Amino acid sequence: MIVGKIKPRINFVLSWLLLLSMASLLSFVFFFSIHQQNQKLRESFRESAIETIGSFISTIRDSLFFDDLNSIKIAVGNLNLNPNVLSASVLSKEGDVLVSLNQNGETTYPILESSSHTDDVSSIRSLTLLTGQDRLEMLSPVDLPDGSIVGYVKLNLSLELLNKALKDSTKSLLLIFLIAGILAFGFLYWLGNVFSRSLANLGEISERIGKGESAIKIGTSPIFEFSTLLHGMKQMATNIEFHKSELRKAKEYTDHVVASVSEAILVVNGQGRVEFANARSVGITGFTPNELLEMKFPTLITQEDGAPILWEGDEINEMEAICVNKSGEKIPVLLNRRIMQIQGLYVFSLKDQRDSRLVTELRRTQFELIQSSKMAALGEMAGGVAHEINNPLGVIMMRANQIARLLQLENADLEQAQKFLQAIEKTGIRIKDIVAGLQSFARTGKDDIFLSTSVARIVKDTLVLCSEKFFHNGIDLKVAMVPEDVEIKCNHTQISQVLLNLLSNAFFAVKESPGKDKWVELQYLDQGENIRLMVVDCGEGIPEKVAEKIFQPFYTTKPVGQGTGLGLSISKGIVEAHGGSLYLDKQNKNTAFGVILPKELRSRQPNAN
């Protein structure tokens, strides 16, 4: 165990760190205390010396003024009582020694014994102290109240007692700090062991908690903070055990719920890889759970025509798809997609449709709804289509009459007749295209498969059915240029139905709106792997409350009898079945619906380089 290996090292290092720190601190305090104590003793001795010489000067001042040598001698002799005084001298103002006290305690009159000598004291105006190795020499003038100097006093004081006091003080402090150091070292050694044991205990507990253990026996510590921390860790371990128990219960509950669901559930990450599969997924696909977790979603689920389904995008509701199982069998499934916002995952549910008795009825109802929506759209466009055919028919009849009259002439202009016939042929082709567009749109398309189809062709066929109605109602229909070589894999009739429905809704909305500048625009944008068709009109958008319901079946804003409420919901289902999306562009300042469809990507030739 890591903590067990490092525990002795923690004890040793921590204990010695504390001991060295305390030794350094005690040394500093010791030398600082000695310095302060010695400073105080020296200062006290100096003050005592100054007081001594001051008292002596006060005693002899009058005697010196009156040259009373006997009084001066008595005063000098009294200095012999002070153990610190080694010698003393009283000088005249000229510097002659009048009375002196030698180291033997004898008082003499040098001035009377012709042994006097003169000191140069002319520069002395205040107390002067000279400190030697074993003595302190003081020289001070004796002045009167008016400031005049009548003489001088010289004292030599012994430093023996001071030095002895300094030594005794140092010894006492050393003894005190020695005892204090021993006690401090013992206390710190004990404290270091307590700290190291507590830290090692905390480390061991943390390591065990980190490994997931929760039933841990936690002791106490004599240090309050460590004891509190240990108690907190004990509480944390208890809480972890409680939450682990709750998580186990929640996981068991969730596992039971997921296992009991009759639908296959696949959780797919942002890269399309399966991260979770329930037991039903194993039953439908035939793959083991480990095999599923190594697969990507597009290899499992495709559209009915084999086209891939993107795992990313908006939510999908009950989309018919194909699940290819391990044996290669294509299983019809009903696909739903939801988004886990927190983790960025996609949850797919697959409902096996092989044994569903509702599949046939659902498809039949869906087919009838699509056909009903088509017929409703054709009914709305009937007037425009009739006018679109009547005009060419009128041209044909007029040209036929012109040819008849021309042939009655003796010298008939056959070249002119040929031009009339060409006009009739061109007009007939136009009528043929209109009728073909009507037939293509009105046909059921039930058995149609997805084919690569030109987007420009889809747009053109759709505009044949509705452009005339826009023109006759004074609505400017703007159509973007669509490249002829851009193709999508689709059911031509169904995508045309989606565009016609969006254009019809825009026509109805613009027709009823006030104002003279009325327009509808069909925009095209190449987005690389996708194409986007936008139907935008001059309206100012759709209210939020309406926008929330606009794709719901049977919801319509048209008056009663003028709309089924199925157009947008069916269109959305068609687009999603093609692997795309139909949406309301709320960011556009006008009313705008967008259709995004995957482009048919043609294989590219390898680069010659």
Side-chain angles (χ1 to χ4, degrees):
M1 195 178 201
I2 295 175
V3 174
K5 293 179 180 179
I6 66 172
K7 183 176 179 180
R9 186 174 297 177
I10 292 177
N11 288 342
F12 178 83
V13 173
L14 188 58
S15 297
W16 274 104
L17 282 175
L18 289 173
L19 290 174
L20 289 174
S21 299
M22 180 54 69
S24 300
L25 179 62
L26 286 175
S27 299
F28 172 79
V29 174
F30 172 73
F31 287 109
F32 179 80
S33 300
I34 289 177
H35 174 75
Q36 291 295 103
Q37 183 66 21
N38 291 347
Q39 192 72 17
K40 288 180 179 179
L41 289 173
R42 289 190 180 94
E43 188 64 29
S44 176
F45 183 83
R46 184 174 180 277
E47 290 176 358
S48 176
I50 293 173
E51 184 180 351
T52 300
I53 196 171
S55 176
F56 179 68
I57 290 172
S58 299
T59 303
I60 68 169
R61 179 180 287 112
D62 292 338
S63 300
L64 191 59
F65 177 75
F66 292 108
D67 293 330
D68 186 355
L69 294 180
N70 289 326
S71 298
I72 294 173
K73 181 181 179 183
I74 294 172
V76 171
N78 291 334
L79 290 176
N80 205 22
L81 300 176
N82 189 331
N84 291 325
V85 177
L86 292 176
S87 64
S89 300
V90 179
L91 289 71
S92 66
K93 60 182 180 180
E94 290 81 12
D96 297 325
V97 180
L98 301 177
V99 180
S100 65
L101 176 67
N102 59 28
Q103 293 184 0
N104 297 323
E106 299 175 349
T107 304
T108 62
Y109 296 99
I111 191 66
L112 299 178
E113 299 172 357
S114 301
S115 59
S116 175
H117 64 277
T118 303
D119 290 343
D120 184 12
V121 293
S122 59
S123 61
I124 305 301
R125 292 291 181 268
S126 61
L127 176 62
T128 302
L129 286 81
L130 298 175
T131 304
Q133 185 175 2
D134 58 352
R135 66 176 59 198
L136 174 65
E137 182 177 297
M138 296 189 297
L139 178 62
S140 175
V142 180
D143 50 2
L144 298 176
D146 60 359
S148 60
I149 297 175
V150 295
Y152 296 90
V153 172
K154 181 188 291 186
L155 290 181
N156 286 322
L157 301 182
S158 173
L159 298 180
E160 182 180 354
L161 295 178
L162 174 61
N163 292 333
K164 184 177 183 302
L166 292 175
K167 291 179 181 179
D168 292 343
S169 174
T170 302
K171 291 179 181 179
S172 300
L173 286 174
L174 180 60
L175 180 61
I176 292 172
F177 276 96
L178 184 61
I179 296 172
I182 293 172
L183 294 176
F185 279 18
F187 173 77
L188 287 177
Y189 184 80
W190 171 82
L191 188 62
N193 283 332
V194 171
F195 265 95
S196 61
R197 284 197 303 271
S198 300
L199 287 175
N201 194 15
L202 287 174
E204 181 181 355
I205 293 169
S206 301
E207 185 176 2
R208 293 177 66 183
I209 291 176
K211 290 181 178 179
E213 298 182 33
S214 53
I216 303 172
K217 185 177 180 181
I218 299 177
T220 59
S221 172
I223 301 176
F224 175 75
E225 287 76 9
F226 276 108
S227 181
T228 303
L229 186 57
L230 287 169
H231 176 74
M233 295 192 74
K234 181 178 181 180
Q235 188 64 38
M236 182 175 67
T238 303
N239 291 338
I240 290 174
E241 176 62 23
F242 172 76
H243 290 300
K244 282 174 64 178
S245 175
E246 292 297 311
L247 284 173
R248 282 194 296 268
K249 292 178 182 178
K251 185 178 184 303
E252 291 174 1
Y253 176 79
T254 305
D255 290 343
H256 284 306
V257 171
V258 173
S260 64
V261 173
S262 61
E263 299 179 359
I265 296 177
L266 297 174
V267 179
V268 181
N269 62 23
Q271 288 72 45
R273 188 172 297 279
V274 178
E275 289 197 354
F276 171 81
N278 68 344
R280 182 57 178 155
S281 300
V282 176
I284 292 179
T285 64
F287 293 101
T288 65
N290 290 335
E291 289 174 334
L292 283 173
L293 295 181
E294 294 177 355
M295 300 180 70
K296 284 202 169 185
F297 182 77
T299 62
L300 280 172
I301 310 298
T302 65
Q303 298 184 35
E304 290 183 308
D305 63 345
I309 297 177
L310 299 177
W311 61 88
E312 297 179 305
D314 297 331
E315 294 186 349
I316 295 178
N317 294 312
E318 298 189 344
M319 172 183 173
E320 292 184 357
I322 295 296
C323 174
V324 182
N325 67 9
K326 191 172 184 178
S327 61
E329 180 186 358
K330 295 182 177 180
I331 303 172
V333 295
L334 208 57
L335 178 70
N336 291 278
R337 177 172 64 200
R338 296 293 182 267
I339 305 172
M340 294 176 65
Q341 298 290 349
I342 298 176
Q343 300 179 6
L345 301 175
Y346 299 87
V347 180
F348 292 86
S349 64
L350 310 174
K351 185 174 183 180
D352 191 345
Q353 296 294 288
R354 288 175 294 186
D355 300 326
S356 175
R357 293 176 294 179
L358 298 177
V359 174
T360 303
E361 182 67 21
L362 179 61
R363 290 180 174 175
R364 185 184 66 80
T365 303
Q366 184 181 27
F367 167 74
E368 291 177 353
L369 286 175
I370 292 175
Q371 286 302 109
S372 174
S373 178
K374 281 186 182 180
M375 294 303 103
L378 282 177
E380 292 178 359
M381 297 297 173
V385 172
H387 195 278
E388 192 77 12
I389 294 177
N390 283 335
N391 283 343
L393 285 176
V395 172
I396 291 174
M397 293 176 64
M398 180 184 69
R399 297 301 183 191
N401 288 331
Q402 288 176 339
I403 292 172
R405 288 196 299 270
L406 188 63
L407 292 176
Q408 292 175 0
L409 299 176
E410 293 182 2
N411 297 321
D413 189 350
L414 296 181
E415 184 177 349
Q416 184 65 31
Q418 182 68 25
K419 291 181 179 180
F420 289 158
L421 288 172
Q422 289 176 352
I424 290 174
E425 181 182 14
K426 182 178 179 180
T427 307
I429 291 173
R430 183 181 176 192
I431 293 175
K432 178 184 175 182
D433 289 341
I434 295 173
V435 173
L438 284 172
Q439 288 177 334
S440 175
F441 185 78
R443 65 193 299 274
T444 64
K446 180 178 180 181
D447 299 321
D448 288 356
I449 60 175
F450 285 17
L451 299 174
S452 296
T453 308
S454 168
V455 178
R457 165 83 182 279
I458 297 173
V459 172
K460 179 182 176 182
D461 290 350
T462 305
L463 293 177
V464 165
L465 301 176
C466 64
S467 59
E468 194 69 21
K469 185 169 74 169
F470 281 89
F471 175 76
H472 285 288
N473 283 274
I475 299 173
D476 183 16
L477 179 59
K478 307 172 186 178
V479 181
M481 180 67 67
V482 182
E484 294 289 340
D485 60 343
V486 177
E487 295 182 349
I488 58 174
K489 198 167 187 179
C490 68
N491 183 315
H492 179 287
T493 303
Q494 291 182 348
I495 299 301
S496 180
Q497 178 182 352
V498 172
L499 290 180
L500 184 61
N501 182 268
L502 295 177
L503 289 168
S504 297
N505 288 347
F507 169 81
F508 184 85
V510 171
K511 179 183 176 184
E512 300 299 326
S513 65
K516 297 182 179 180
D517 185 17
K518 300 181 179 181
W519 55 267
V520 174
E521 184 175 2
L522 178 59
Q523 301 175 353
Y524 167 81
L525 180 63
D526 192 322
Q527 295 182 318
E529 295 184 354
N530 301 315
I531 61 109
R532 182 174 69 178
L533 295 171
M534 296 285 296
V535 176
V536 186
D537 62 53
C538 59
E540 297 181 353
I542 295 177
E544 186 65 30
K545 291 184 178 180
V546 176
E548 293 175 357
K549 307 176 184 177
I550 201 162
F551 289 107
Q552 294 180 4
F554 305 107
Y555 180 80
T556 180
T557 58
K558 297 178 182 178
V560 177
Q562 296 189 26
T564 63
L566 295 172
L568 285 177
S569 62
I570 290 177
S571 296
K572 184 175 177 65
I574 290 173
V575 173
E576 289 179 350
H578 283 72
S581 61
L582 171 62
Y583 65 95
L584 170 64
D585 186 359
K586 297 180 181 180
Q587 304 300 322
N588 201 309
K589 65 178 182 179
N590 299 109
T591 305
F593 285 86
V595 176
I596 297 179
L597 291 167
K599 189 193 299 182
E600 177 72 3
L601 299 177
R602 300 179 180 179
S603 59
R604 300 178 180 177
Q605 296 296 328
N607 196 319
N609 295 328

